[in-house]
Amino acid sequence: MTRGTLRIYLGAAPGVGKTYAALDEAHRRSERGTDVVIGFVETHGRPRTAVMLDGLEIVPRQILEYRGGSFTEMDLDAVLARRPEVAFVDELAHTNVPGSRHAKRWHDVQDLLAAGIDVISTVNVQHLESLNDVVETITGVPQRETVPDDVVRRADQVELVDMAPEALRRRMAHGNVYGPEKVDAALANYFRVGNLTALRELALLWLAGKVDDQLDRYRADHGIGGTWETRERVVVALTGGPEGDTLIRRASRIAARSKGADLLAVHVARSDGLTGADPAALTRQRALVESLGGSYHQVIGDNVPTALLDFARAENTTQLVLGASRRGRLARMLSPGIGAMTTSMSGPIDVHLVTHPEAWGHKPAPTSAEDDAPHRIGKSGWRLPNTRTALEPRRRILATVLTLALVPALTAGLTTIRGTFNLTTEMLAYLLITVTVALVGGFGPALLCAITSSLLLNYYFTAPVNEWTIADGDNALALLGFVLVASLVSRVVSTSARRYEQAVRASAEAATLSVLAGSVLRGEDALPALLARAQETFGMTSVTLLERTDDDQAGGGWRPVMTVGADPSATGNSAAPDPASHDGDRVDIPVRDNLCLALTGRSLPAADRRILTAFAAQAAVALDQHRLREAAAEAAPIAEADKVRTALLTAVSHDLRTPLAAAKAAISGLRGHDITLTDDEQAELLATADESLDKLTRLVENLLDMSRLQAGALSVFPRPIGLDDIVPPALDEIGPAASKIGVQVPDNLPAVQADPALLERVIVNLVTNALRHAPADTPPIITASALADRVELRVIDRGPGIPATRRDNVFQPFQRLGDRDNTTGVGLGLALSRGLTEAMGGTLTPDETPGGGLTMVLSLPATTPPDALADPTAQRPEPSVGPR
């Protein structure tokens, strides 16, 4: 019997439309004449999904009794007996009620497939076994219903039903996923934008892995060996050498630049088992690869480039990372090496040759002042190269030794075979030694070699022999030309070395000035950074910026503004700096009449003082910037206080005067004797006075609390308390207007750590603000939920909302964003609420209400970790936990 085919619709979250899409496929097959039945479907009360059942045959469910309740499950025996061509079975990961044939629904599906029945099913990404713990970490909701990944991977077709998080939240807000009573709780918990985005990425990546498997099978079945760049795969070749760690990290960075790229490390071992690789090094490098999310492989091959490229092509590799050769120059002359051969044979695979300290047969050497500039010193700074002569002394000494060794040796050798060569050949031999000495030691040793060689040529090889005279004028001219050629060559070498030194120096100075300018432009803490860089660049013990005191502008009286380095007293706090001084270990660079940069440690040449002058000028600019920032920082609180004072005076002129005027008028009416008031009129005036005085009391309390918050003098007494004990009293304080507010605060929420009195005031302010902006026919809603170690209270209204760019403005004191009625308060409510919340260790943030409006999210620390909460959107009393 031919096994049936399995088609699965995969979704990132409930409500994306998996069941709808699967039923649409069932209709298409039915319209083509295929025998299709519904084995099991769960509409979750969604009307549009239920409509899709019209015209399809539904196999009746079986009823099972469990723990006193009745449950329905797919009747597997009835579907097998019906033997349709295609069966639709919803919710592949579902756990069957005890008493069913199998514990899991995917077991039922396996029986249908074995019977030759094609199956269409659905599953969400959170139910895949391999992603179960990841989803719980993201959403905080454990998923007890899972299906093995292999079951889904073996499906003949897996189709992703995708939807953007914002679109899914809008669909939910419109009531197309859950009932109205569950929408707010779902949006506030599982269906946050961040959660949905993460779940969507998991679904896409998981499906991409399955597509890769299908592509690999297709390429293998059709014998395709070329690289298809459908996905970045980076392979790093390891030899077990010390450069392996560098190559692995470099390959990891290359892979990280491409989202979802794979990192593979491979070591090619010889077929005879002989290898120069260090097993311990390979083991360590394998651990490093795996810690970076890659995989380690080992292949056998006597031809390393061929074996390496065969592996790369089999893995559909796009990039190959190799280390630069560690062989010496002679070995590279005899053979191009593995890197060059691999590059020439790589074809469409990109090859990266990465340099490392072991490359080209050189070992890493410590940096010294005589290396090429710019130089690192210590662990942080650059240092300018020292100003020195064109060639190093050791090279001149070596060239002199070569002169004293090679010239006599050549003379002795030619003397023993005198007469074999003519004078021209003998002069060329001496010229070769002279050029060699010039290349090594420059002009001085080369000139010595040339003169010595000319004298020996004259004495031993120019007629008359063994005399210092020269009989032939041509020989004299030849010897003179010999000396001139040797001198010119040595001069060229010396000039080239000097020009190189100047270029290195100029490059180092340019790099230093570039970094110097950047450090000033970056602003914060520029002055200490500049002084530290000056200390590092010039190798000084300490650097101090000195400023002349105001009491003695004529001279003396210097004080240190800032010092970097050891022993600040060495700069001479009271000694008057000498701008022309650079004797001993003290260097003074004048900046302005009242500023001077003093350095101690060593004397500096004139070339360094030129760059140091730029440092001094930038230090002065940095000092000005530093003082301007300090002045601005000191002025900011004054400006803010002035702003608050102005707003407060504006508020007092109207908002405080209004309840005072109302209370005064009511009391005056009660005390008047010219008018006789009825009992009802007296009661109305008393109520007006009471209401006005209450409003005045709240305004004054808010003002006092805001001043305490700004002064840091607010007393907070937190203790564990449940939200269900705080919300009702807060609504009672608001009065009759709060009677229409919807409250959805579960009784099983953990207690929060908060000050009860302050928390009640925060809730009163939030609800009052929501009532002010909510439409009359859509009152605000209060919901609460637990998330990790926090408890969140949400006050949701369907009012006009606030643009995202202006939401922080509502937390500024005396701000009534968008209010047209200025008689309702001084605009302290939300500012005070955020301050009180933060004083209790919580947060208060605004968020958009899906469908329009504003949601204020009050988050407080929970006293005990919340238990895993069942999904409030669950439709059936089955053993599963979490959304479907």
Side-chain angles (χ1 to χ4, degrees), residues 489-574:
V489 169
S490 61
R491 174 57 63 185
V492 169
V493 172
S494 179
T495 302
S496 175
R498 186 167 56 253
R499 293 288 184 266
Y500 171 76
E501 174 69 21
Q502 293 172 352
V504 168
R505 174 78 186 188
S507 175
E509 290 180 357
T512 301
L513 292 175
S514 174
V515 174
L516 176 63
S519 64
V520 175
L521 293 176
R522 282 190 288 272
E524 293 294 333
D525 297 328
L527 184 56
L530 275 173
L531 298 184
R533 186 167 294 280
Q535 179 196 10
E536 296 169 354
T537 301
F538 299 99
M540 306 302 285
T541 304
S542 65
V543 179
T544 301
L545 183 63
L546 299 175
E547 184 177 33
R548 194 190 305 271
T549 56
D550 295 335
D551 57 350
D552 188 4
Q553 293 292 337
W558 294 81
R559 67 178 183 86
V561 177
M562 185 169 293
T563 299
V564 173
D567 191 13
S569 62
T571 60
N573 292 353
S574 60

Side-chain angles (χ1 to χ4, degrees), residues 30-47:
S30 179
E31 291 168 359
R32 292 197 299 263
T34 304
D35 183 15
V36 180
V37 301
I38 303 297
F40 184 92
V41 65
E42 182 62 73
T43 64
H44 295 288
R46 299 165 191 166

